[in-house]
C-alpha cells in the first residue's frame, strides 16, 4: 500500500513515516502544500496523512482540490490540540478523520487502518491465491492456515503480486509501490526480497510460486497450473 505524508516538521515526519513503514506502507513525504498537491494528483495513494500548517499555506487546500477533482482517496488530518476550528474546517472540506499531535502511535495506526477499511471495494480486506491468504488489515500472511512471518518490505511486495495474480509486474512498479519514488531504480532490493519470499513460501508448503519473466518482471502463478507455469528459459 502506498501513502502520502504531507508534513513540514522534520521530526514529526520521521515518526509518522517510520510508523507507517513498519505497517507496510511505501511512504512519499511532501513538505509543502504545493508539493503535496502535485503528488496527490498524479499518484494513486491508498491514504494521505496531512498536516494542516504548511509553510506555503493550509493543508485544507489539498483536501479541497482532491474532492473537487472527484478523488476519493482517504485523508487523515494531523492537527494541533488547540485547533478545533481548523479541524472542523478540514472535515467539512472532505477530510475523513483526524488525529491530534503529538501523535499517540497506537491510535494513529488504528485510525489509518480504519480509514483504509472504509476506503471502498477496491481495498479488499483479504486476498487469497492458492493456499496463500493475506489479511491486509492485520498484515498477516497465512499458508494453509499457518501464519508465515514476513518483513515490512516482503509483505507489501507479496501483497502487490497477490493483488495482480497471473499478471506480470515489472521491477520498477514494485519499486514504486513498495519502496518510494526516490529509490534507486538500479537497486537489486526487489530481487533480494523476492528470493526471500520464495524461500518462505516454499518452506511453508505454498502451492503458489513467484516466476521471473526475464527483463520484464515477476508473476505469481499457481503451482501445477501448466498454462501459467513459466518455461525453463523464463526462470533466472
Ligand atoms: Ca506544520
Amino acid at each position: 500500500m502506498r501513502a502520502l505524508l504531507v508534513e513540514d516538521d522534520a521530526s514529526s515526519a520521521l515518526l509518522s513515516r517510520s510508523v507507517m513503514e513498519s505497517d507496510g506502507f511505501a511512504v512519499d513525504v511532501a513538505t509543502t502544500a504545493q508539493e503535496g498537491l502535485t503528488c496527490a494528483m498524479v499518484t494513486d495513494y491508498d491514504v494521505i496523512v496531512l498536516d494542516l500548517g504548511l509553510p506555503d499555506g493550509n493543508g485544507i487546500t489539498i483536501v479541497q482540490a482532491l474532492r473537487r477533482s472527484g478523488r476519493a482517496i482517504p485523508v487523515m488530518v494531523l492537527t494541533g490540540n488547540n485547533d478545533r476550528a481548523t479541524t472542523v474546517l478540514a472535515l467539512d472540506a472532505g477530510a475523513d478523520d483526524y488525529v491530534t499531535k503529538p501523535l499517540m502511535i497506537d491510535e494513529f495506526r488504528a485510525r489509518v487502518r480504519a480509514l483504509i477499511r472504509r476506503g471502498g471495494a477496491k481495498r479488499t480486506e483479504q486476498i487469497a491465491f492458492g493456499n496463500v491468504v493475506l489479511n491486509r488489515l492485520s498484515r498477516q500472511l497465512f499458508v494453509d492456515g499457518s501464519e508465515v512471518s514476513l518483513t515490512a518490505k516482503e509483505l507489501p511486495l507479496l501483497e502487490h503480486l497477490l493483488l495482480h495474480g497471473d499478471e506480470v509486474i515489472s521491477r520498477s512498479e514494485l519499486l514504486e509501490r513498495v519502496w518510494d519514488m526516490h529509490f534507486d531504480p538500479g537497486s537489486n532490493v526487489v530481487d533480494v526480497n523476492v528470493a526471500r519470499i520464495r524461500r518462505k513460501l516454499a518452506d511453508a508448503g505454498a502451492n503458489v510460486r513467484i516466476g521471473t519473466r526475464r527483463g520484464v518482471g515477476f508473476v505469481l502463478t499457481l503451482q501445477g497450473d501448466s498454462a501459467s507455469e513459466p518455461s525453463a528459459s523464463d526462470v533466472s
Side-chain angles (χ1 to χ4, degrees), residues 7-9 51-54 101:
E7 168 68 89
D8 61 316
D9 181 81
D51 180 40
L52 293 181
L54 296 165
K101 294 203 279 189

Side-chain angles (χ1 to χ4, degrees), residues 54-55 93 120 139 187 198:
L54 296 165
R139 314 303 291 160
S187 157
R198 276 184 180 137

Side-chain angles (χ1 to χ4, degrees), residues 39-62:
C39 292
M41 288 303 202
V42 299
T43 304
D44 182 24
Y45 292 102
D46 295 284
V47 66
I48 297 176
V49 175
L50 178 63
D51 180 40
L52 293 181
L54 296 165
D56 57 339
N58 196 303
I60 290 176
T61 55
I62 298 179

Side-chain angles (χ1 to χ4, degrees), residues 5 17 28 34 39 49-50 69 84 86 117 136 184 198-199 212 224 233:
L5 172 65
R17 179 185 187 152
D28 294 334
Q34 186 53 55
C39 292
V49 175
L50 178 63
S69 69
R84 305 309 264 187
T86 319
R117 198 157 49 222
R136 301 183 73 198
D184 171 16
R198 276 184 180 137
R199 199 156 50 234
T212 304
S233 66

Side-chain angles (χ1 to χ4, degrees), residues 23 32 51 57 60 76 99 140 167 193 195 205 212 229-230:
D23 281 345
T32 64
D51 180 40
I60 290 176
M76 166 76 72
V99 280
Q140 288 171 295
E167 280 173 50
N193 280 273
T212 304
E229 193 79 353

Side-chain angles (χ1 to χ4, degrees), residues 22-190:
S22 72
D23 281 345
F25 285 96
V27 183
D28 294 334
V29 180
T31 55
T32 64
Q34 186 53 55
E35 192 190 349
L37 182 59
T38 305
C39 292
M41 288 303 202
V42 299
T43 304
D44 182 24
Y45 292 102
D46 295 284
V47 66
I48 297 176
V49 175
L50 178 63
D51 180 40
L52 293 181
L54 296 165
D56 57 339
N58 196 303
I60 290 176
T61 55
I62 298 179
V63 185
Q64 288 167 333
L66 277 173
R67 299 307 182 232
R68 260 202 312 273
S69 69
R71 286 172 173 77
I73 305 172
V75 175
M76 166 76 72
V77 159
L78 302 178
T79 176
N81 232 336
N82 305 313
D83 210 4
R84 305 309 264 187
T86 319
T87 308
V88 170
L89 281 178
L91 292 171
D92 280 345
D96 299 277
D97 198 4
Y98 69 94
V99 280
T100 48
K101 294 203 279 189
L103 287 186
M104 306 284 287
I105 302 296
D106 289 345
E107 182 193 14
F108 175 64
R109 278 202 164 113
R111 283 180 180 272
V112 169
R113 277 200 299 271
L115 259 194
I116 287 171
R117 198 157 49 222
R118 296 200 299 263
K122 162 183 155 189
R123 292 164 224 286
T124 323
E125 190 168 328
Q126 205 155 274
I127 331 169
F129 197 86
N131 62 358
V132 172
V133 175
L134 175 68
N135 186 312
R136 301 183 73 198
L137 293 174
S138 66
R139 314 303 291 160
Q140 288 171 295
L141 181 81
F142 299 92
V143 174
D144 251 345
S146 301
E147 186 173 357
V148 174
S149 149
L150 295 184
T151 67
K153 288 304 180 194
E154 291 164 4
L155 195 129
L157 200 165
L158 182 60
E159 175 180 41
H160 196 69
L161 291 172
L162 280 164
L163 282 168
H164 301 272
D166 287 325
E167 280 173 50
V168 179
I169 306 296
S170 69
R171 269 182 190 75
S172 58
E173 181 173 340
L174 288 169
L175 269 177
E176 186 188 298
R177 295 300 304 194
V178 180
W179 282 267
D180 59 58
M181 59 168 73
H182 305 299
F183 212 91
D184 171 16
S187 157
N188 69 345
V189 286
V190 173

